[in-house]
Amino acid sequence: DLHTGPGFRVVDINPAQRRVTCDNGRTFDYDKLLIATGASPKVPDNLPFDKGIFVLRHLADVEEIKQYLQDVGAKRAVVSGGGLVGIKSAAALNACGLHTTLVISSQQVLSQVLDHDAAQIIGRQLRENNIEILQPAAITEIISRDNRLKGVKTDQGRELDCDVLIVAKGVAPNIRLAKAAGIGVRRGIVIDSFMQTDNENIFAAGD
């Protein structure tokens, strides 16, 4: 049988009973279970989510950012992170007419996927489109007033005025559900070459 459930989510896995429980109280028994809970954006533990500070993962995040830009008449943006999400965010903000600065902790953009020469091509293209790149650099302080973002400070000693900050520092797998069920986890859910966890009836896939 196929059951679809938009609007509710699994909150508990009971491997002994081979049953999952949803947040609306419904339960489903299973013979085999696939965990595909995805990932969530990484954010620094000390990051204050004042107005103007966002992560970008879902369409709803995009809509919220667009509305905020309009509401405050944003002129300047900072993006923290030089991966795909960071670069695309910087390009989108730049296209909206904002002066955009990309703050990257590594020596190059897309450091996890490109070699030096290819990264230089991307970096040059970004600069030619008036996106400022600070690298290697990290944001060390958030400047806020009345719980609203006003700027950031970097470990290079730069202070950057900005109306919006996009934190794009990668993602972390959502392992809470699996861990609570006693399934083996490390940085993510541990699987073998068949995507099977340490429970023979439970598999995992995704970010």
Side-chain angles (χ1 to χ4, degrees):
D1 293 339
L2 175 64
H3 301 275
T4 60
F8 62 88
R9 61 189 177 90
V10 172
V11 295
D12 181 71
I13 300 171
N14 188 321
Q17 296 181 355
R18 289 193 291 181
R19 177 174 297 162
V20 298
T21 302
C22 302
D23 59 359
N24 64 352
R26 292 186 67 183
T27 61
F28 296 94
D29 294 335
Y30 64 85
D31 295 314
K32 302 294 181 182
L33 175 68
L34 174 67
I35 300 174
T37 45
S40 297
K42 290 181 181 178
V43 293
D45 293 335
N46 60 349
L47 182 69
F49 269 91
D50 295 330
K51 294 177 182 178
I53 302 176
F54 300 92
V55 295
L56 183 56
R57 183 67 173 168
H58 304 288
L59 179 60
D61 298 325
V62 175
E63 298 298 337
E64 185 179 5
I65 293 167
K66 288 173 62 178
Q67 187 62 54
Y68 185 81
L69 297 179
Q70 295 176 11
D71 290 346
V72 302
K75 297 291 191 295
R76 307 179 73 87
V78 170
V79 178
S80 176
L84 284 171
V85 173
I87 288 176
K88 290 183 178 181
S89 297
L93 291 164
N94 180 63
C96 289
L98 278 72
H99 179 281
T100 303
T101 303
L102 193 57
V103 180
I104 303 173
S105 59
S106 58
Q107 296 286 343
Q108 64 179 53
V109 298
L110 297 172
S111 60
Q112 301 298 311
V113 294
L114 294 183
D115 63 18
H116 174 78
D117 291 343
Q120 293 306 303
I121 295 172
I122 300 297
R124 185 165 59 250
Q125 183 70 24
L126 292 169
R127 291 186 176 95
E128 288 176 356
N129 283 276
N130 298 315
I131 296 174
E132 182 182 11
I133 302 176
L134 301 183
Q135 63 184 71
I139 293 172
T140 57
E141 185 179 341
I142 302 295
I143 304 170
S144 298
R145 186 163 57 248
D146 298 326
N147 294 322
R148 174 168 288 179
L149 176 71
K150 294 299 180 182
V152 299
K153 291 183 180 180
T154 75
D155 58 359
Q156 295 180 336
R158 290 278 303 274
E159 183 171 320
L160 306 171
D161 293 335
C162 61
D163 304 297
V164 62
L165 168 65
I166 308 296
V167 180
K169 299 293 290 181
V171 296
N174 293 323
I175 62 174
R176 182 197 61 79
L177 195 61
K179 186 176 182 180
I183 297 165
V185 299
R186 294 188 193 133
R187 292 175 60 189
I189 301 172
V190 179
I191 58 172
D192 62 17
S193 59
F194 297 97
M195 302 170 69
Q196 189 177 51
T197 69
D198 56 6
N199 183 300
E200 64 179 357
N201 298 312
I202 300 177
F203 298 77
D207 291 332

